[in-house]
Amino acid sequence: MANNDYVLELEHIRKEYPGVIALKDVTLQLRRGEILGLIGENGAGKSTLIKCCSGAVIPTSGKIKINGKEFTRMTPQLAAENGIAIIYQEFKPILKKNGIVIDRKAMEEEAAKAFEQLNIKINPRTLVKNLSVGYQQMVEIAKAIQQNAQVLIMDEPSAPLTTNEVESMFKVVELLKSRGVSIIYISHRLEEIFRLSDRIEVIRDGEYVDTLITDKDPATIPHQVDELIKLMVGREMTQKYPPREPCIRDEVVLELEHVYGNGDQDISFKIHAGEVLGLGGLVGAGRTEIAQVIFGARPKESGKIIFMGQEINPKSPRAAINHGIALLPEDRKRHGALLTNSIKNNIAMPIYERISKGTVINKKREHSIAEGYREDIQIKCPSIHQLVKNLSGGNQQKVILAKWLAAQSKLIIFDEPTRGIDVGAKFEIYKLINDLVEDGVAVLMISSEMEELMGMSDRIIVLAENKMMGELQKNEFNADLIMSYASGVVPEDKKVKEAS
């Protein structure tokens, strides 16, 4: 195929940082009007690669070609002028001005035109802050098209969206493709990659691995999924969930008795030492809300929280931490870690009082503790002095976990522990959870992934509309039953059982 059939070409892109080679040798070719799936483990170099396309990062070496025109480096302005746009989650409004006056009428007219082209039903006068995340993302796509973008790079676009919003986004993506727009689609959700892409490129450890033609035949997709996973992680994944022998102990670590708070109503359950209790339900069911109450981030209105045999009423996260309760939040970038601090600082943060004399921190102990956890849970980094923001998602999650291990937590709440994490890193997180419960730690795991919920839990509680709908033992796990509870429906046979 002649080069002029490619709208974007990256040739032997390399990017070096002090002590780190983010990209060793990556080549990518994007045809006009195609969707190229780009996959790889966290830390493989996907984000660095797309930043090279947008001009946010300057490659150490290599070439970038747009419509056959060669560039040794890109700038944000050059990228925009040559039709490249990246769809970010954060909304960045652009105002049209008539001289020094903002021309709101022209803005509304152009916005309406862009929405109409994409079959998006949004009132141009609506404030962006009042839109759902899904519609905010549609606004970003419309903005890119309005600026005549010919290449759209979409980085994990479905991560924050509801199921319905994901479907709406897919329709827009497929419409853009039909109109000749070229799209690079990055996602950890392989089912999305197969649905949307024409080809799939795999990168690993900063290097190009292989490109596969997407097979749309449902019968062969499972085999291609296995092949892609092997290419991503460099080994065969014979199982998704590491085996764990039953290790539940008699000791009750946490008990909730008719707890009300943060919107949740009449929540009662127990978690034993050495147990993974799964918390299932749809978005908005109240799972994160009850976790926040337990962690002291939101007030309890009534009921009892009994921890290690004693009734407690944590008024703040610090109080919960002092009791031995930890939370790995869903949004780890905003609430889980201090991204601009070092790995060492993050790990030692909950225990500074313990390793300090007055206001003087014992730096030797701080370094020793952080280095020990880096080694124990295999945080991949050049040193513990590296900033957390420069780590992959999986390694950021490990840093947060190390922090709570250092604090000697007895109960750890995982809220969507593997969201945005690749398949290889997921397996490592699962192994760490298994290690925790084998050591007697109690784990409360919130997950929206049905397979993960059933694959990791010893028992599952399901919430719907801020209330408990059902409880399932391991031998009762069934996706249809869990979804029924999550939808607020108790099957007739379960009503009979509960009544008896």
Side-chain angles (χ1 to χ4, degrees):
M1 183 173 284
N3 277 353
N4 60 10
D5 286 325
Y6 294 116
V7 64
L8 175 68
E9 298 172 83
L10 307 179
E11 296 182 355
H12 306 294
I13 299 295
R14 183 180 181 88
K15 178 59 184 176
E16 298 178 12
Y17 293 101
V20 181
I21 301 176
L23 295 172
K24 297 175 186 174
D25 183 6
V26 178
T27 292
L28 176 150
Q29 294 170 321
L30 179 66
R31 297 185 176 108
R32 300 178 193 281
E34 82 162 340
I35 300 176
L36 177 69
L38 181 62
I39 65 172
E41 290 193 275
N42 285 101
K46 302 185 300 294
S47 295
T48 305
L49 187 66
I50 65 172
K51 287 176 182 176
C52 290
C53 297
S54 71
V57 167
I58 299 172
T60 304
S61 62
K63 296 176 183 177
I64 300 172
K65 292 181 182 178
I66 303 174
N67 292 316
K69 186 178 179 181
E70 187 175 304
F71 301 86
T72 54
R73 58 178 290 177
M74 186 60 56
T75 67
Q77 184 176 345
L78 268 177
E81 288 172 355
N82 284 274
I84 295 178
I86 299 181
I87 304 302
Y88 294 102
Q89 299 303 320
E90 299 81 13
F91 184 73
K92 307 174 189 66
I94 293 178
L95 303 179
K96 271 191 135 358
K97 293 187 178 181
N98 185 357
I100 60 171
V101 180
I102 295 172
D103 192 339
R104 295 193 181 279
K105 185 177 179 181
M107 286 168 51
E108 290 175 5
E109 288 175 354
E110 290 201 19
K113 191 186 302 180
F115 294 151
E116 185 178 355
Q117 287 178 358
L118 298 175
N119 296 324
I120 301 170
K121 295 179 180 179
I122 300 176
N123 185 333
R125 296 185 179 182
T126 304
L127 296 178
V128 174
K129 69 178 181 180
N130 294 332
L131 294 174
S132 70
V133 175
Y135 275 120
Q136 288 183 32
Q137 192 174 72
M138 295 299 187
V139 170
E140 285 292 302
I141 295 173
K143 185 178 74 180
I145 297 306
Q146 187 187 38
Q147 295 169 338
N148 298 315
Q150 291 303 301
V151 174
L152 281 185
I153 302 173
M154 307 182 75
D155 190 2
E156 297 288 351
S158 66
L161 306 186
T162 65
T163 302
N164 289 338
E165 287 172 339
V166 169
E167 279 300 318
S168 297
M169 182 195 67
F170 285 172
K171 289 177 183 176
V172 170
V173 169
E174 288 164 346
L175 178 63
L176 292 175
K177 176 191 172 183
S178 73
R179 294 180 178 176
V181 176
S182 304
I183 296 167
I184 297 176
Y185 192 93
I186 302 170
S187 178
H188 290 305
R189 298 175 177 176
L190 294 182
E191 68 274 12
E192 294 180 6
I193 293 288
F194 276 96
R195 171 170 170 173
L196 294 174
S197 68
D198 300 295
R199 293 182 300 133
I200 305 170
E201 176 159 321
V202 184
I203 61 175
R204 183 176 73 235
D205 297 331
E207 293 186 273
Y208 169 79
V209 178
D210 202 355
T211 302
L212 304 181
I213 304 297
T214 307
D215 191 334
K216 303 291 186 180
D217 182 354
T220 60
I221 284 177
H223 302 292
Q224 199 167 25
V225 167
D226 291 341
E227 185 178 357
L228 284 173
I229 291 172
K230 184 178 179 182
L231 290 171
M232 284 170 62
V233 303
R235 63 188 185 279
E236 289 195 43
M237 295 288 290
T238 55
Q239 53 191 17
K240 289 187 177 180
Y241 303 98
R244 178 179 77 241
E245 292 296 323
C247 51
I248 302 172
R249 305 179 186 182
D250 292 334
E251 180 184 25
V252 176
V253 173
L254 175 75
E255 181 174 4
L256 303 189
E257 292 185 357
H258 308 292
V259 169
Y260 287 72
N262 200 18
D264 284 330
Q265 305 170 43
D266 198 15
I267 307 295
S268 299
F269 59 75
K270 298 177 182 179
I271 311 178
H272 292 79
E275 178 180 28
V276 178
L277 176 63
L279 197 55
L282 302 176
V283 173
R287 300 167 302 168
T288 295
E289 286 75 8
I290 197 63
Q292 290 173 337
V293 170
I294 296 168
F295 191 57
R298 292 287 186 272
K300 171 176 66 66
E301 294 166 13
S302 63
K304 292 182 179 180
I305 300 176
I306 301 168
F307 189 74
M308 304 301 293
Q310 300 292 320
E311 184 176 352
I312 64 170
N313 189 20
K315 301 285 189 181
S316 67
R318 171 49 64 185
I321 292 165
N322 289 341
H323 284 299
I325 300 172
L327 170 65
L328 280 80
E330 178 181 3
D331 189 345
R332 60 180 169 268
K333 291 183 182 294
R334 289 176 58 197
H335 303 129
L338 295 177
L339 298 182
T340 55
N341 283 32
S342 69
I343 295 167
K344 179 184 69 174
N345 293 154
N346 271 270
I347 292 175
M349 191 167 299
I351 58 168
Y352 274 136
E353 290 181 15
R354 197 197 316 160
I355 62 172
S356 300
K357 195 169 186 179
T359 58
V360 180
I361 298 169
N362 185 327
K363 294 292 184 182
K364 190 173 181 181
R365 281 200 68 196
E366 178 190 32
H367 187 279
S368 173
I369 289 167
E371 192 64 59
Y373 282 113
R374 176 179 91 131
E375 197 172 307
D376 286 348
I377 63 177
Q378 298 179 350
I379 300 170
K380 295 174 184 174
C381 59
S383 82
I384 56 173
H385 301 289
Q386 184 172 350
L387 301 185
V388 173
K389 70 178 183 179
N390 295 328
L391 296 175
S392 69
N395 284 299
Q396 287 179 0
Q397 192 76 310
K398 286 183 178 182
V399 169
I400 302 167
L401 179 56
K403 173 175 72 174
W404 297 128
L405 292 177
Q408 299 176 346
S409 305
K410 298 178 179 66
L411 167 70
I412 300 182
I413 305 169
F414 289 84
D415 193 350
E416 304 289 0
T418 63
R419 175 161 289 174
I421 294 176
D422 63 80
V423 65
K426 279 185 178 183
F427 193 80
E428 291 183 16
I429 295 297
Y430 297 149
K431 285 200 295 185
L432 290 172
I433 291 174
N434 281 359
D435 290 343
L436 289 171
V437 292
E438 285 170 2
D439 287 341
V441 175
V443 169
L444 177 62
M445 188 185 79
I446 300 169
S447 178
S448 297
E449 294 188 28
M450 184 74 72
E451 189 179 347
E452 176 177 83
L453 195 66
M454 294 192 293
M456 286 300 297
S457 303
D458 295 301
R459 190 164 47 98
I460 296 174
I461 299 286
V462 186
L463 303 188
E465 297 181 357
N466 301 93
K467 297 177 182 177
M468 278 185 58
M469 293 303 299
E471 176 181 342
L472 293 86
Q473 303 298 323
K474 189 83 172 176
N475 61 358
E476 299 177 298
F477 287 0
N478 177 283
D480 291 339
L481 179 57
I482 293 171
M483 186 53 67
S484 179
Y485 279 136
S487 302
V489 178
V490 179
E492 288 300 321
D493 61 328
K494 290 295 179 183
K495 287 180 183 177
V496 173
K497 183 178 177 181
E498 288 171 9
S500 61

